[in-house]
Amino acid sequence: MVINPNNPTGVLYPESVLKEIVEVAREHGLVILADEVYDKVLYDDVKHTALGSLSTDVLTLTFNSLSKSYRACGYRAGWLIVSGDKSAAEDYIEGLDMLANMKLCANVPGQWAIQTALGGYQSINDLVGEGGRLRKQRDLAYELISAIPGVTCVKPQAALYMFPRLDPKVYPIKDDRQFFLQLLEATRVMLVQGTGFNWHAPDHFRIVFLPYEHDLRDAIGRVAGFLEDYRNRHAAGTPAEEAAVTPLKKAAR
Ligand SMILES: Cc1ncc(COP(=O)(O)O)c(C=O)c1O
């Protein structure tokens, strides 16, 4: 299963990595599931490579939808492309067809929009290009988050997310789920803890930079206030687990 561009990191995998993934699948007879729903949400002129385009033999299922590049998630309209060598996959494909026919209750009017969307004016390009709303929001969120002491982040080149790291020396968090629940209660800003994405250590979190600039400033400002309070309490010798619990008047303001 490959999510490229990636949620939650906003990373775009280089072609060399994708080729290695194809090679692993080839060697072990695996089917590749490629979720490429953010394939048009790209910044800084980077290019996305479709995994399915890298081989003609490895069975690859590529998923996409109107939800992201066309901002039409309410339509519930997506599609699946099967590529590669299908000779050993007849039963599998029959199963997919059966599922589509019987179980998914397809949104037929929404499906009519797909062809028009794919062939029509690609309004996403205005949003991600220089001066575009998503591009500006990405830059602002990155700048504000990176300015918080002890917080570092890889600048996302795609999608709508970034995955900052909290330096454990500055933020010795033991249970990140609990920590971000406390942050939510104190600031009313919802972030997802890294372990929620199966990240192994309690030292990352995900930000969605979809809100408008004004709201991003407000929200990240509150997060910065919460983290500042945590640092002050921690530095003052309060045990790490309790540091986040104490009422956070500043952050709540
Ligand atoms: C990687 C990825 N795939 C798919 C989706 C959802 O797509 P859809 O609305 O078409 O179900 C999301 C939404 O967050 C996503 O992040």
Side-chain angles (χ1 to χ4, degrees), residues 75-78 96-111:
Y75 276 47
R76 307 313 306 145
L96 288 175
D97 281 342
M98 225 184 268
L99 191 67
N101 287 336
M102 291 168 61
K103 220 176 153 194
L104 294 182
C105 192
N107 163 18
V108 174
Q111 288 178 332

Side-chain angles (χ1 to χ4, degrees), residues 1-8 35-38 63-68 72-74 76-79 159-161 206:
M1 176 79 206
V2 182
I3 299 173
N4 183 45
N6 188 260
N7 175 7
D35 181 337
E36 300 182 348
V37 73
Y38 299 102
F63 302 87
N64 216 312
S65 90
L66 295 183
S67 288
K68 313 296 178 183
C73 40
R76 307 313 306 145
W79 58 95
L160 309 167
Y161 315 99
R206 185 190 73 168

Side-chain angles (χ1 to χ4, degrees), residues 166-184:
L166 294 162
D167 182 347
K169 288 198 206 81
V170 184
Y171 306 97
I173 298 161
K174 293 214 165 62
D175 180 343
D176 63 350
R177 187 168 178 267
Q178 199 55 31
F179 183 86
F180 283 99
L181 180 60
Q182 283 157 2
L183 186 147
L184 170 66

